[in-house]
Amino acid sequence: CFLETLKKPLGVDRDKAAIATIKKRRNRMGTKPVHVMLRGLLDPNPATRIDCKTALEMKAFEEFKKKQASGKENQEREKATKDSNTTEQQANTQTDNKNLKSAEADQANLTGEKKKGVNGNEVKQKPPSQSKNSRAGAHTAGERAEALKEMKRICKMLDFTNEDTKKAALSWWEKCDQPIEYCLLLAHKMYEHELMNIEEVEEYLEDFDIDEYTAAEEVIFEELGYDLTLF
């Protein structure tokens, strides 16, 4: 079921109960473009239910395209700002070096001698050291290494073999403040050929809480704007 792919299993066996559950969840959805599209896809009435082609033409995907375009513009703007800051820093360093040399010359003229080293050669003033203008990410290199290690362990344990599952989980982990195992479990719903019953995860992962995981799924969906596209 489409809704079970996005959420946990409905927990009902009969069609009538399933339809009632779907209607209840549809009624809780808001007026955002993604919610409007999901309501159309989850319409229990086949006559009024929209198909995938219609969904792709709806405003929800226009929002995704705008977000991608905006992301590229932000990257270009950040690059231009970084280049500008680097150029300004280099110019300031050159000015500082010139001022330093000028001050040394004035001091030499005043005392009538130049600074000498131990071997009698003139000591050259070293320019001030420059700090790298690196932008810190949301996670440190150490945290990323630990996340990769944990992801590899869980994939081997739960038999997740699709590389896109790992790529998606790592991408969502970097964007959201949620545990890597929760991102991985959500990603497996999208990219693995065989879906695993979430309730069985407790047998493999220590301290796994299905209610906590369900809440984490909600947070991931909201923080990503319901845009779980990988490419």
Side-chain angles (χ1 to χ4, degrees), residues 109-176:
N109 292 332
L110 181 63
T111 59
E113 60 181 19
K114 296 181 179 179
K115 293 182 179 180
K116 299 291 181 176
V118 176
N119 58 2
N121 295 327
E122 182 178 349
V123 176
K124 295 183 179 180
Q125 182 69 30
K126 294 183 179 180
S129 60
Q130 301 179 19
S131 60
K132 295 182 179 179
N133 187 20
S134 59
R135 188 183 64 168
H139 300 283
T140 64
E143 290 172 339
R144 195 174 193 277
E146 286 296 325
L148 289 171
K149 181 179 179 181
E150 179 67 6
M151 183 169 61
K152 183 178 180 180
R153 182 185 72 85
I154 295 174
C155 285
K156 183 177 181 180
M157 184 183 303
L158 302 182
D159 197 24
F160 295 163
T161 58
N162 194 326
E163 288 297 322
D164 287 342
T165 300
K166 300 176 185 178
K167 292 178 182 179
L170 186 61
S171 174
W172 301 341
W173 173 78
E174 290 175 340
K175 297 175 182 177
C176 307

Side-chain angles (χ1 to χ4, degrees), residues 12 25 36 42 64 66 71 102 108 116 161 174 176 191 206:
V12 294
R25 294 188 180 181
V36 174
L42 295 172
F64 296 156
K66 290 180 181 178
S102 177
K116 299 291 181 176
T161 58
E174 290 175 340
C176 307
Y191 298 104
E206 296 181 2

Side-chain angles (χ1 to χ4, degrees), residues 6-89:
L6 299 177
K7 296 283 192 175
K8 63 182 181 180
L10 295 177
V12 294
D13 297 327
R14 298 182 180 277
D15 292 343
K16 185 177 293 185
I19 292 174
T21 301
I22 292 173
K23 286 182 178 179
K24 182 178 179 181
R25 294 188 180 181
R26 286 179 73 240
N27 292 336
R28 291 207 305 263
M29 293 183 180
T31 58
K32 294 182 178 180
V34 173
H35 294 171
V36 174
M37 180 189 69
L38 291 177
R39 279 206 304 271
L41 291 170
L42 295 172
D43 192 338
N45 186 355
T48 56
R49 183 187 308 139
I50 65 173
D51 55 19
C52 293
K53 182 179 179 181
T54 303
L56 289 172
E57 296 173 352
M58 295 181 70
K59 189 176 180 181
F61 285 95
E62 292 180 5
E63 296 293 331
F64 296 156
K65 293 177 182 178
K66 290 180 181 178
K67 181 184 296 185
Q68 291 176 349
S70 176
K72 291 181 180 179
E73 291 178 358
N74 290 337
Q75 289 178 354
E76 292 176 355
R77 190 179 300 111
E78 288 178 1
K79 184 178 182 301
T81 302
K82 183 177 180 180
D83 292 341
S84 176
N85 291 339
T86 301
T87 302
E88 183 179 354
Q89 186 180 25

Side-chain angles (χ1 to χ4, degrees), residues 181-205:
E181 57 267 28
Y182 292 166
C183 296
L184 192 61
L185 289 173
L186 177 57
H188 110 276
K189 294 183 179 181
M190 306 295 177
Y191 298 104
E192 292 298 319
H193 297 295
E194 295 184 6
L195 294 181
M196 183 178 188
N197 189 339
I198 297 299
E199 296 179 353
E200 297 177 357
V201 176
E202 296 176 333
E203 301 177 7
Y204 298 91
L205 300 182

